[in-house]
Amino acid sequence: MRGNFAAIALVVMGGLALASNLGLFDADLGQLLRTWWPLLLIILGVGMFLAPGTEQRRKGD
């Protein structure tokens, strides 16, 4: 899941940046990132928590 999440996040962020550069919508991506960056940390943490195989690694230690 972690690999898929990172790939999807990169595609979405790249698509938003491209659409903004092409003038398809008017948004300040820098302002959006400055405002919403904690949400990215939360999503990343939840993705890591729900990643398959983490329970098996803990039992082996």
Side-chain angles (χ1 to χ4, degrees), residues 1 3-4 11-12 15 19 23 26 32 39 41 45 48:
M1 174 164 170
N4 291 340
V11 169
V12 169
D26 186 28
L32 285 174
L39 183 61
L41 293 176
M48 290 173 69

Side-chain angles (χ1 to χ4, degrees), residues 8-49:
I8 292 169
L10 286 173
V11 169
V12 169
M13 289 189 319
L16 288 173
L18 180 63
S20 178
N21 287 342
L22 292 174
L24 297 176
F25 67 92
D26 186 28
D28 183 9
L29 294 178
Q31 178 62 34
L32 285 174
L33 285 176
R34 282 189 295 273
T35 302
W36 292 99
W37 70 268
L39 183 61
L40 295 174
L41 293 176
I42 293 168
I43 292 171
L44 181 63
V46 169
M48 290 173 69
F49 182 72

